Amino acid sequence: MSAPRGLPRGLLAGLAGIALLALVTWLLPQLVSNYLVRVVIVMCINAVLVASMGLANGFTGVFSLGHVGFVAVGAYVSGILSLSAHAKGAYLPDLPHWLAGITLGFLPSTLVAGLVCVALAFLVGAPLMRLSGYFVAVATLGFLIIVNVVLINAVDFTRGARTFTGVPLETSLPWAVGWLAVAVAVIARVVYSPVGRRYRAVREDTIAAQAIGLEVLPVRLSAFMLGAFFAGVGGSLYGHYLGSFSPAAFYLAYTFTLISMLVIGGMQSLTGALVGVVAVSVASEVLRNLERGLDLGIFTVPPLYGASQVVLGFILILVMIFRPSGIMGDRELTLGPLVKPRQEGPGREIKR
Amino acid sequence: MSEAARSQAPGSMDSAPLLETSGLTKSFRSLVALRDQAIVVRPGEIVGVIGPNGSGKSTFFNLVSGFLRPDSGSVRFDGQPIERRSAAEIVRLGIARTFQGTRLFKALSVAENVRAAAQLRHPSSMLDALVGTPRLRRAARRVDAITGELLGLVGLTGRAGVRAGDLPYGDQRRLELVRALATQPRLLMLDEPAAGMDAAETRELMDLVDRIRRRFGVAVIVVEHDMDLIMNLCERIQVLAHGQTIFEGAPAEVQAHPKVREVYLGHA
Ligand SMILES: Nc1ncnc2c1ncn2[C@@H]1O[C@H](COP(=O)(O)OP(=O)(O)OP(=O)(O)O)[C@@H](O)[C@H]1O
Ligand SMILES: [Mg+2]
């Protein structure tokens, strides 16, 4: 086994990472257009969401379709909290007094959103994480539907199906990149630790997992709750990026997008989740530009609105047929010795 | 696992029972899979359970290890009733088992299979993992040491990084055995460990089980169809047929007993 890793190296990697992120967030806006910066921000938010979805779905093998339900809760909870008193009076006049009086900053409202989602994940997960296979998928889809219906009907808090607006536009590039870094660091540490080993054991065989002393429910629940935290955080980031949104923004279409990113990248790998986000985002940006139509001089491509969704669907089908475990499978990309995952990595030491 | 502390003389009749079942009964609908079974296993002892297909051997294992609940009867481990405990709790108390046909974490490496079990006794929490506490590092060192030792015991050191599902069948069985051992049990239950092995492999396995028992001081219950293995390895044998215990005694007695010959060995 390799020598124990000292602190200096980890510290060095951390500092190098922070320096790199600072450089990127400072440099990028100078180099590329505003449009591209916005694309990168959305990519970072999606990466937080997909990586956290992979925690339960990929590492413990509980295929949840409810992640976007937590994203919605995160967006609305943080949005209500960070709305100014003036905006609350204008848009949410029927808010209870104790809530109407509170206005939190971006960071605290994001953290509260994450914690509310953790508590909700505990309530939802305690009964549902006992289930397996498609039972979980169907039941968590039910959760997504319930969240949607509640948001539409809790008019005093959400303005119902109408647009919730007035959320301060706080999600800048540094915030998005910073939260992504935190999410990746936390998830990587957990997944490549003895805790993550428990996740994989439960995923591989629940009976064998019990035979080595693991209770399936708490193991899955801890992954589900940690994933929900970052879903809430991502929801807050998204809400504070859009400024105005409605329950429809956090429903089936978004679920499909995030799941295709996860599945295309590879569910059982953290870098797979990130690769999936980049691949799908780049593909759909390109396609979105193409679907407006092209004039190539000799011939013109007529506008084909909606084509990007169709192509994305096809890509997903092709990946499922030819590479069902996604681009990365269960392997991780590493950036050399600086950020090498620890011992626990299944991918690193597997010889095929 | 400190050998000195754990090794002890194989079971003597005067020590208190480690495992004691009585009146153990389990039905599946109208079929009584196990009826009124009773067995006593003392620390360090090695006991065989034999019987024709469907006689209730695996059901007995599942009842003791918490994968099934008995309809009636009791299971005591170390004097404590355990028949209502979960499978995971029972492992924690010190009973580890293997399965008929293997149940490995197939997509994980050989070493990861053993580490996952070894970390039961050297746990770390999510907080340890996030902060990188000394406890996490200490646990990782202990888990790696145990894993190294156990893989060495079954000659799998060189294959530590191989996907468990890619191992040859015999190696898979040995890996499952040391994975169970990694939970540091006081009672090890092996359900047909030699199934599918040839004579040489079976002899090797017998040897391994015996070595494990002496080295770690664990009691062992073996279910097997291989008569040679059972007769040579076990101090005592219980014979089941149609869920009923028809005989219990030393290997020589079992072989000589007419009822056993009739029911199990198939010739009168
Ligand atoms: N979960 C179950 N549901 C229904 N019937 C079961 C179940 N488990 C076992 N049985 C039945 O109970 C009886 C005893 O089965 P058990 O697996 O204990 O036998 P066994 O002695 O281990 O047999 P073998 O030598 O084939 O492994 C069999 O008739 C079996 O079909
Ligand atoms: Mg059996």
Side-chain angles (χ1 to χ4, degrees), chain B residues 120-142:
Chain B
L120 176 71
R121 304 291 178 198
H122 303 279
S124 19
S125 67
M126 191 182 281
L127 199 68
D128 289 320
L130 284 177
V131 179
T133 56
R135 187 167 102 122
L136 180 81
R137 284 194 294 275
R138 217 177 318 121
R141 270 197 304 275
R142 293 295 301 129

PDB file of all heavy atoms in Angstrom, chain B residues 120-142:
ATOM      1  N   LEU B 120     -15.835  -2.799   9.318  1.00  0.00           N
ATOM      2  CA  LEU B 120     -16.890  -2.925  10.329  1.00  0.00           C
ATOM      3  C   LEU B 120     -16.329  -2.698  11.726  1.00  0.00           C
ATOM      4  O   LEU B 120     -16.958  -2.049  12.560  1.00  0.00           O
ATOM      5  CB  LEU B 120     -17.520  -4.317  10.246  1.00  0.00           C
ATOM      6  CG  LEU B 120     -18.576  -4.627  11.302  1.00  0.00           C
ATOM      7  CD1 LEU B 120     -19.846  -3.831  11.043  1.00  0.00           C
ATOM      8  CD2 LEU B 120     -18.892  -6.115  11.359  1.00  0.00           C
ATOM      9  N   ARG B 121     -15.134  -3.224  11.983  1.00  0.00           N
ATOM     10  CA  ARG B 121     -14.538  -3.105  13.316  1.00  0.00           C
ATOM     11  C   ARG B 121     -13.658  -1.870  13.443  1.00  0.00           C
ATOM     12  O   ARG B 121     -13.123  -1.589  14.509  1.00  0.00           O
ATOM     13  CB  ARG B 121     -13.701  -4.343  13.639  1.00  0.00           C
ATOM     14  CG  ARG B 121     -14.451  -5.653  13.530  1.00  0.00           C
ATOM     15  CD  ARG B 121     -15.503  -5.793  14.610  1.00  0.00           C
ATOM     16  NE  ARG B 121     -16.246  -7.043  14.472  1.00  0.00           N
ATOM     17  CZ  ARG B 121     -17.415  -7.290  15.030  1.00  0.00           C
ATOM     18  NH1 ARG B 121     -17.988  -6.377  15.783  1.00  0.00           N
ATOM     19  NH2 ARG B 121     -18.022  -8.433  14.853  1.00  0.00           N
ATOM     20  N   HIS B 122     -13.460  -1.167  12.347  1.00  0.00           N
ATOM     21  CA  HIS B 122     -12.631   0.051  12.371  1.00  0.00           C
ATOM     22  C   HIS B 122     -13.367   1.130  11.594  1.00  0.00           C
ATOM     23  O   HIS B 122     -12.944   1.542  10.522  1.00  0.00           O
ATOM     24  CB  HIS B 122     -11.256  -0.231  11.760  1.00  0.00           C
ATOM     25  CG  HIS B 122     -10.542  -1.343  12.445  1.00  0.00           C
ATOM     26  ND1 HIS B 122      -9.847  -1.170  13.615  1.00  0.00           N
ATOM     27  CD2 HIS B 122     -10.457  -2.658  12.151  1.00  0.00           C
ATOM     28  CE1 HIS B 122      -9.352  -2.326  14.007  1.00  0.00           C
ATOM     29  NE2 HIS B 122      -9.703  -3.254  13.126  1.00  0.00           N
ATOM     30  N   PRO B 123     -14.499   1.579  12.137  1.00  0.00           N
ATOM     31  CA  PRO B 123     -15.398   2.442  11.367  1.00  0.00           C
ATOM     32  C   PRO B 123     -14.913   3.893  11.288  1.00  0.00           C
ATOM     33  O   PRO B 123     -14.152   4.349  12.134  1.00  0.00           O
ATOM     34  CB  PRO B 123     -16.707   2.361  12.158  1.00  0.00           C
ATOM     35  CG  PRO B 123     -16.284   2.103  13.559  1.00  0.00           C
ATOM     36  CD  PRO B 123     -14.999   1.328  13.499  1.00  0.00           C
ATOM     37  N   SER B 124     -15.350   4.566  10.255  1.00  0.00           N
ATOM     38  CA  SER B 124     -15.172   6.026  10.213  1.00  0.00           C
ATOM     39  C   SER B 124     -16.444   6.626   9.644  1.00  0.00           C
ATOM     40  O   SER B 124     -17.105   6.035   8.805  1.00  0.00           O
ATOM     41  CB  SER B 124     -13.942   6.428   9.394  1.00  0.00           C
ATOM     42  OG  SER B 124     -13.526   5.400   8.542  1.00  0.00           O
ATOM     43  N   SER B 125     -16.761   7.830  10.116  1.00  0.00           N
ATOM     44  CA  SER B 125     -18.019   8.472   9.751  1.00  0.00           C
ATOM     45  C   SER B 125     -17.817   9.409   8.565  1.00  0.00           C
ATOM     46  O   SER B 125     -16.704   9.624   8.107  1.00  0.00           O
ATOM     47  CB  SER B 125     -18.529   9.287  10.937  1.00  0.00           C
ATOM     48  OG  SER B 125     -17.633  10.358  11.163  1.00  0.00           O
ATOM     49  N   MET B 126     -18.905   9.980   8.100  1.00  0.00           N
ATOM     50  CA  MET B 126     -18.827  10.954   7.017  1.00  0.00           C
ATOM     51  C   MET B 126     -18.011  12.168   7.456  1.00  0.00           C
ATOM     52  O   MET B 126     -17.234  12.724   6.679  1.00  0.00           O
ATOM     53  CB  MET B 126     -20.236  11.381   6.600  1.00  0.00           C
ATOM     54  CG  MET B 126     -20.257  12.179   5.323  1.00  0.00           C
ATOM     55  SD  MET B 126     -21.898  12.745   4.855  1.00  0.00           S
ATOM     56  CE  MET B 126     -22.593  11.284   4.126  1.00  0.00           C
ATOM     57  N   LEU B 127     -18.157  12.538   8.722  1.00  0.00           N
ATOM     58  CA  LEU B 127     -17.394  13.674   9.234  1.00  0.00           C
ATOM     59  C   LEU B 127     -15.890  13.372   9.206  1.00  0.00           C
ATOM     60  O   LEU B 127     -15.082  14.209   8.794  1.00  0.00           O
ATOM     61  CB  LEU B 127     -17.853  13.996  10.659  1.00  0.00           C
ATOM     62  CG  LEU B 127     -17.483  15.400  11.134  1.00  0.00           C
ATOM     63  CD1 LEU B 127     -18.276  16.446  10.354  1.00  0.00           C
ATOM     64  CD2 LEU B 127     -17.726  15.554  12.626  1.00  0.00           C
ATOM     65  N   ASP B 128     -15.522  12.162   9.639  1.00  0.00           N
ATOM     66  CA  ASP B 128     -14.109  11.754   9.560  1.00  0.00           C
ATOM     67  C   ASP B 128     -13.597  11.901   8.131  1.00  0.00           C
ATOM     68  O   ASP B 128     -12.501  12.394   7.895  1.00  0.00           O
ATOM     69  CB  ASP B 128     -13.945  10.287   9.981  1.00  0.00           C
ATOM     70  CG  ASP B 128     -14.152  10.078  11.465  1.00  0.00           C
ATOM     71  OD1 ASP B 128     -13.691  10.930  12.242  1.00  0.00           O
ATOM     72  OD2 ASP B 128     -14.767   9.064  11.841  1.00  0.00           O
ATOM     73  N   ALA B 129     -14.427  11.452   7.184  1.00  0.00           N
ATOM     74  CA  ALA B 129     -14.011  11.487   5.779  1.00  0.00           C
ATOM     75  C   ALA B 129     -13.855  12.919   5.293  1.00  0.00           C
ATOM     76  O   ALA B 129     -12.907  13.242   4.576  1.00  0.00           O
ATOM     77  CB  ALA B 129     -15.037  10.750   4.920  1.00  0.00           C
ATOM     78  N   LEU B 130     -14.772  13.806   5.698  1.00  0.00           N
ATOM     79  CA  LEU B 130     -14.724  15.189   5.229  1.00  0.00           C
ATOM     80  C   LEU B 130     -13.529  15.930   5.806  1.00  0.00           C
ATOM     81  O   LEU B 130     -12.844  16.672   5.118  1.00  0.00           O
ATOM     82  CB  LEU B 130     -16.022  15.921   5.618  1.00  0.00           C
ATOM     83  CG  LEU B 130     -17.228  15.578   4.759  1.00  0.00           C
ATOM     84  CD1 LEU B 130     -18.469  16.291   5.280  1.00  0.00           C
ATOM     85  CD2 LEU B 130     -16.961  15.981   3.312  1.00  0.00           C
ATOM     86  N   VAL B 131     -13.293  15.711   7.099  1.00  0.00           N
ATOM     87  CA  VAL B 131     -12.244  16.467   7.781  1.00  0.00           C
ATOM     88  C   VAL B 131     -10.888  15.794   7.593  1.00  0.00           C
ATOM     89  O   VAL B 131      -9.855  16.443   7.641  1.00  0.00           O
ATOM     90  CB  VAL B 131     -12.592  16.608   9.282  1.00  0.00           C
ATOM     91  CG1 VAL B 131     -11.513  17.376  10.019  1.00  0.00           C
ATOM     92  CG2 VAL B 131     -13.933  17.297   9.439  1.00  0.00           C
ATOM     93  N   GLY B 132     -10.889  14.474   7.372  1.00  0.00           N
ATOM     94  CA  GLY B 132      -9.621  13.758   7.285  1.00  0.00           C
ATOM     95  C   GLY B 132      -8.993  13.597   8.656  1.00  0.00           C
ATOM     96  O   GLY B 132      -7.823  13.899   8.867  1.00  0.00           O
ATOM     97  N   THR B 133      -9.774  13.124   9.615  1.00  0.00           N
ATOM     98  CA  THR B 133      -9.319  13.014  10.999  1.00  0.00           C
ATOM     99  C   THR B 133      -8.246  11.935  11.161  1.00  0.00           C
ATOM    100  O   THR B 133      -8.131  11.047  10.326  1.00  0.00           O
ATOM    101  CB  THR B 133     -10.488  12.626  11.924  1.00  0.00           C
ATOM    102  OG1 THR B 133     -11.049  11.406  11.424  1.00  0.00           O
ATOM    103  CG2 THR B 133     -11.550  13.701  11.964  1.00  0.00           C
ATOM    104  N   PRO B 134      -7.494  12.015  12.262  1.00  0.00           N
ATOM    105  CA  PRO B 134      -6.540  10.942  12.567  1.00  0.00           C
ATOM    106  C   PRO B 134      -7.242   9.586  12.669  1.00  0.00           C
ATOM    107  O   PRO B 134      -6.690   8.564  12.300  1.00  0.00           O
ATOM    108  CB  PRO B 134      -5.969  11.342  13.929  1.00  0.00           C
ATOM    109  CG  PRO B 134      -6.192  12.800  14.038  1.00  0.00           C
ATOM    110  CD  PRO B 134      -7.407  13.109  13.231  1.00  0.00           C
ATOM    111  N   ARG B 135      -8.488   9.610  13.168  1.00  0.00           N
ATOM    112  CA  ARG B 135      -9.248   8.367  13.274  1.00  0.00           C
ATOM    113  C   ARG B 135      -9.423   7.713  11.901  1.00  0.00           C
ATOM    114  O   ARG B 135      -9.300   6.503  11.760  1.00  0.00           O
ATOM    115  CB  ARG B 135     -10.632   8.673  13.881  1.00  0.00           C
ATOM    116  CG  ARG B 135     -11.445   7.440  14.202  1.00  0.00           C
ATOM    117  CD  ARG B 135     -12.632   7.823  15.069  1.00  0.00           C
ATOM    118  NE  ARG B 135     -13.830   7.871  14.269  1.00  0.00           N
ATOM    119  CZ  ARG B 135     -14.923   7.126  14.534  1.00  0.00           C
ATOM    120  NH1 ARG B 135     -14.942   6.314  15.556  1.00  0.00           N
ATOM    121  NH2 ARG B 135     -15.973   7.217  13.774  1.00  0.00           N
ATOM    122  N   LEU B 136      -9.695   8.539  10.887  1.00  0.00           N
ATOM    123  CA  LEU B 136      -9.859   8.022   9.531  1.00  0.00           C
ATOM    124  C   LEU B 136      -8.580   7.341   9.066  1.00  0.00           C
ATOM    125  O   LEU B 136      -8.604   6.238   8.532  1.00  0.00           O
ATOM    126  CB  LEU B 136     -10.217   9.162   8.582  1.00  0.00           C
ATOM    127  CG  LEU B 136     -10.417   8.787   7.109  1.00  0.00           C
ATOM    128  CD1 LEU B 136     -11.805   8.221   6.887  1.00  0.00           C
ATOM    129  CD2 LEU B 136     -10.213   9.988   6.196  1.00  0.00           C
ATOM    130  N   ARG B 137      -7.446   8.003   9.304  1.00  0.00           N
ATOM    131  CA  ARG B 137      -6.171   7.445   8.846  1.00  0.00           C
ATOM    132  C   ARG B 137      -5.813   6.191   9.612  1.00  0.00           C
ATOM    133  O   ARG B 137      -5.337   5.212   9.046  1.00  0.00           O
ATOM    134  CB  ARG B 137      -5.066   8.500   8.995  1.00  0.00           C
ATOM    135  CG  ARG B 137      -5.120   9.572   7.907  1.00  0.00           C
ATOM    136  CD  ARG B 137      -3.844  10.390   7.869  1.00  0.00           C
ATOM    137  NE  ARG B 137      -3.671  11.183   9.078  1.00  0.00           N
ATOM    138  CZ  ARG B 137      -4.223  12.389   9.258  1.00  0.00           C
ATOM    139  NH1 ARG B 137      -4.959  12.923   8.311  1.00  0.00           N
ATOM    140  NH2 ARG B 137      -4.035  13.055  10.375  1.00  0.00           N
ATOM    141  N   ARG B 138      -6.078   6.226  10.933  1.00  0.00           N
ATOM    142  CA  ARG B 138      -5.778   5.050  11.748  1.00  0.00           C
ATOM    143  C   ARG B 138      -6.617   3.863  11.271  1.00  0.00           C
ATOM    144  O   ARG B 138      -6.119   2.763  11.091  1.00  0.00           O
ATOM    145  CB  ARG B 138      -6.074   5.368  13.222  1.00  0.00           C
ATOM    146  CG  ARG B 138      -5.092   4.739  14.174  1.00  0.00           C
ATOM    147  CD  ARG B 138      -5.367   5.126  15.627  1.00  0.00           C
ATOM    148  NE  ARG B 138      -5.715   6.528  15.837  1.00  0.00           N
ATOM    149  CZ  ARG B 138      -6.870   6.944  16.384  1.00  0.00           C
ATOM    150  NH1 ARG B 138      -7.785   6.075  16.751  1.00  0.00           N
ATOM    151  NH2 ARG B 138      -7.095   8.232  16.565  1.00  0.00           N
ATOM    152  N   ALA B 139      -7.918   4.137  11.053  1.00  0.00           N
ATOM    153  CA  ALA B 139      -8.816   3.065  10.608  1.00  0.00           C
ATOM    154  C   ALA B 139      -8.360   2.516   9.261  1.00  0.00           C
ATOM    155  O   ALA B 139      -8.325   1.301   9.058  1.00  0.00           O
ATOM    156  CB  ALA B 139     -10.249   3.585  10.515  1.00  0.00           C
ATOM    157  N   ALA B 140      -7.967   3.427   8.363  1.00  0.00           N
ATOM    158  CA  ALA B 140      -7.543   2.986   7.033  1.00  0.00           C
ATOM    159  C   ALA B 140      -6.312   2.089   7.135  1.00  0.00           C
ATOM    160  O   ALA B 140      -6.202   1.079   6.439  1.00  0.00           O
ATOM    161  CB  ALA B 140      -7.257   4.192   6.149  1.00  0.00           C
ATOM    162  N   ARG B 141      -5.385   2.444   8.037  1.00  0.00           N
ATOM    163  CA  ARG B 141      -4.180   1.623   8.200  1.00  0.00           C
ATOM    164  C   ARG B 141      -4.529   0.239   8.727  1.00  0.00           C
ATOM    165  O   ARG B 141      -4.024  -0.768   8.241  1.00  0.00           O
ATOM    166  CB  ARG B 141      -3.193   2.310   9.160  1.00  0.00           C
ATOM    167  CG  ARG B 141      -2.215   3.245   8.454  1.00  0.00           C
ATOM    168  CD  ARG B 141      -1.018   3.562   9.353  1.00  0.00           C
ATOM    169  NE  ARG B 141      -1.396   4.118  10.635  1.00  0.00           N
ATOM    170  CZ  ARG B 141      -1.635   5.415  10.859  1.00  0.00           C
ATOM    171  NH1 ARG B 141      -1.528   6.274   9.868  1.00  0.00           N
ATOM    172  NH2 ARG B 141      -1.976   5.843  12.056  1.00  0.00           N
ATOM    173  N   ARG B 142      -5.408   0.199   9.726  1.00  0.00           N
ATOM    174  CA  ARG B 142      -5.799  -1.094  10.289  1.00  0.00           C
ATOM    175  C   ARG B 142      -6.509  -1.947   9.235  1.00  0.00           C
ATOM    176  O   ARG B 142      -6.246  -3.131   9.093  1.00  0.00           O
ATOM    177  CB  ARG B 142      -6.727  -0.903  11.508  1.00  0.00           C
ATOM    178  CG  ARG B 142      -6.088  -0.266  12.715  1.00  0.00           C
ATOM    179  CD  ARG B 142      -4.987  -1.140  13.313  1.00  0.00           C
ATOM    180  NE  ARG B 142      -5.468  -2.460  13.717  1.00  0.00           N
ATOM    181  CZ  ARG B 142      -4.894  -3.601  13.362  1.00  0.00           C
ATOM    182  NH1 ARG B 142      -3.829  -3.590  12.580  1.00  0.00           N
ATOM    183  NH2 ARG B 142      -5.381  -4.735  13.769  1.00  0.00           N
TER     184      ARG B 142
END
